[in-house]
């Protein structure tokens, strides 16, 4: 593992949208035992039987979307510890959307329990407005082309660009019916991919600001510490490490548009060209690799393969 120990690595934390139920085979018995301990903490704090969901979900009637959020947060928190235990430590971090919360928990700015409470509040506060909102992704069109699609397919302020992932992958957020219309037009005009995201919320758009006071109040009540490792803002492309700035970033992270591409480029401009994806998947690696083909990426799957080869 010595060849993987490099202090100049950026750790990338994914947001919501993954289903980890088919990924748990990556964990050996020792890691599964630790996962069970975290599931017990989740049950005590949130009342969710995460363990049953992960291993018996097909027999459960439950809110799968929220369970997936908590599963991602919990498993990614464990993945981070695996990297650190192996001597792979971050020089900086970047969180994609709600990956910011995982990054802050791993960086000791908030506790694991604080992160659970934040995710619960984020899940609850937009519910009164959820029916009309949604998100989608378009692959194969540039930023300007997507802006033209939005102008062509919707009325003003119905749909916003929520994230510029790379040169040809953009996320939309806003009114559900209007997003679906833009996705249809994108497909007709040759987009490689134009699909809805499984969420009833309009995060990273002004629609996510409705009802946000409940989350602001929770953040105000939460004890937030200076981070052990700087976090790169996906909004300003600057370092954030002190508690006050992290607190502001949490609020901004709900309704402000992200620029993931610019954040990854800025990290490269600082001389860091090696990235570690802190997840059981590789979604951030896929979108980030397209930003600069010279960047190097380590996924958890590759990490486990290298460990077993020792």
């Amino acid at each position: 593992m010595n060849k993987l120990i490099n202090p100049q690595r950026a750790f990338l934390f994914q947001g919501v949208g993954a289903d980890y139920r088919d990924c748990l085979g990556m964990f050996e018995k020792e890691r599964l035992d630790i996962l069970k301990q975290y599931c017990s903490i989740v049950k005590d704090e949130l009342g969710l039987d995460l363990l049953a969901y992960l291993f018996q979900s097909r027999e459960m009637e439950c809110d799968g979307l929220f369970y997936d959020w908590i599963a991602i947060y919990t498993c990614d928190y464990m993945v981070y510890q695996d990297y650190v235990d192996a001597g792979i430590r971050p020089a900086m971090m970047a969180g994609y959307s709600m990956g910011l919360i995982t990054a802050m928990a791993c960086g000791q700015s908030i506790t694991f329990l604080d992160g659970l409470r934040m995710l619960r509040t984020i899940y609850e506060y937009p519910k009164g407005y959820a029916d009309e909102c949604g998100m989608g992704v378009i692959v194969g069109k540039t930023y300007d082309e997507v802006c033209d699609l939005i102008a062509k397919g919707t009325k003003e302020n119905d749909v916003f660009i929520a994230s510029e992932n790379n040169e040809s992958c953009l996320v939309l957020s806003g009114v559900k019916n209007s997003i679906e219309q833009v996705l249809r037009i994108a497909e007709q005009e040759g987009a490689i991919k134009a699909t809805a995201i499984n969420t009833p919320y309009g995060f990273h758009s002004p629609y996510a600001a409705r009802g946000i006071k409940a989350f602001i109040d929770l953040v105000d009540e939460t004890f937030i510490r200076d981070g052990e490792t700087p976090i790169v803002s996906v909004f300003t492309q600057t370092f954030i490490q002190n508690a006050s700035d992290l607190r502001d970033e949490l609020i901004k992270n709900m309704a402000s548009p992200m620029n993931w591409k610019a954040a990854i480029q800025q990290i490269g401009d600082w001389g860091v060209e090696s990235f570690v994806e802190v997840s059981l998947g590789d979604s951030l690696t896929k979108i980030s690799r397209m930003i600069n083909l010279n960047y190097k990426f380590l996924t958890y799957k590759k990490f486990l393969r290298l460990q077993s080869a020792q």
Side-chain angles (χ1 to χ4, degrees):
M1 295 297 294
N2 287 341
K3 63 183 178 180
L4 291 177
I5 300 175
N6 181 344
Q8 293 302 306
R9 288 181 181 270
F11 276 33
L12 308 180
F13 295 79
Q14 75 164 17
V16 299
D19 183 344
Y20 276 179
R21 289 173 294 178
D22 294 327
C23 301
L24 299 177
M26 300 173 73
F27 287 146
E28 295 182 353
K29 183 181 183 304
E30 178 183 352
R31 305 309 294 155
L32 289 174
D33 288 342
I34 294 173
L35 175 59
K36 290 175 182 178
Q37 294 174 24
Y38 278 108
C39 287
S40 179
I41 295 171
V42 169
K43 190 167 187 178
D44 289 343
E45 179 62 31
L46 302 181
L48 297 183
D49 193 345
L50 183 61
L51 187 64
Y53 178 73
L54 289 173
F55 294 97
Q56 305 166 20
S57 61
R58 277 70 179 180
E59 304 167 13
M60 294 176 61
E61 290 186 9
C62 62
D63 189 342
L65 187 62
F66 185 47
Y67 271 89
D68 283 339
W69 286 22
I70 302 303
I72 292 166
Y73 172 72
T74 302
C75 291
D76 291 358
Y77 188 84
M78 289 177 54
V79 167
Y80 175 83
Q81 299 302 325
D82 282 351
Y83 285 134
V84 171
D85 289 346
I88 304 171
R89 298 179 180 273
M92 60 192 70
M93 302 174 171
Y96 188 99
S97 190
M98 290 176 213
L100 171 66
I101 293 174
T102 316
M104 287 180 61
C106 291
Q108 303 299 307
S109 297
I110 59 174
T111 67
F112 179 77
L113 289 177
D114 291 332
L116 291 177
R117 294 167 190 141
M118 287 182 184
L119 288 171
R120 176 176 57 196
T121 304
I122 291 168
Y123 191 71
E124 291 292 338
Y125 89 73
K127 276 192 171 180
Y129 313 97
D131 289 345
E132 66 184 72
C133 293
M135 300 182 74
V137 62
I138 295 175
V139 178
K141 295 291 183 182
T142 66
Y143 184 94
D144 288 342
E145 288 171 336
V146 171
C147 287
D148 289 341
L149 291 172
I150 293 171
K152 183 184 300 183
T154 72
K155 61 184 181 182
E156 189 175 4
N157 296 327
D158 263 13
V159 177
F160 298 84
I161 294 178
S163 178
E164 187 174 1
N165 289 345
N166 59 42
E167 191 67 31
S168 59
C169 177
L170 293 102
V171 177
L172 308 182
S173 183
V175 176
K176 182 180 179 180
N177 291 340
S178 295
I179 287 175
E180 291 172 349
Q181 173 68 5
V182 174
L183 295 177
R184 283 193 292 270
I185 296 173
E187 194 170 48
Q188 293 166 3
E189 298 197 4
I192 297 171
K193 179 180 179 182
T195 186
I197 295 172
N198 182 29
T199 178
Y201 304 135
F203 292 124
H204 303 293
S205 80
Y207 290 95
R210 300 180 301 180
I212 197 174
K213 185 179 184 302
F215 181 64
I216 294 173
D217 289 345
L218 175 65
V219 171
D220 287 342
E221 295 166 3
T222 301
F223 179 63
I224 298 177
R225 307 159 190 81
D226 292 350
E228 291 183 346
T229 304
I231 291 175
V232 180
S233 172
V234 296
F235 308 105
T236 63
Q237 291 75 56
T238 58
F239 280 142
I240 299 173
Q241 196 164 7
N242 72 62
S244 177
D245 289 342
L246 290 168
R247 192 180 300 276
D248 291 343
E249 191 80 353
L250 284 167
I251 306 304
K252 188 183 299 182
N253 194 41
M254 293 298 98
S256 298
M258 300 184 296
N259 194 326
W260 183 257
K261 181 183 78 168
I264 297 300
Q265 287 175 328
Q266 182 59 67
I267 291 171
D269 290 345
W270 285 325
V272 177
E273 298 186 348
S274 293
F275 298 85
V276 176
E277 178 159 357
V278 186
S279 79
L280 295 184
D282 61 358
S283 60
L284 289 182
T285 295
K286 287 178 178 177
I287 64 172
S288 303
R289 182 180 284 129
M290 299 303 296
I291 297 169
N292 189 319
L293 296 177
N294 293 319
Y295 293 166
K296 295 179 174 61
F297 292 87
L298 176 67
T299 63
Y300 190 60
K301 184 176 182 178
K302 182 177 180 181
F303 164 76
L304 293 177
R305 187 168 65 246
L306 290 170
Q307 269 198 325
S308 64
Q310 296 301 307

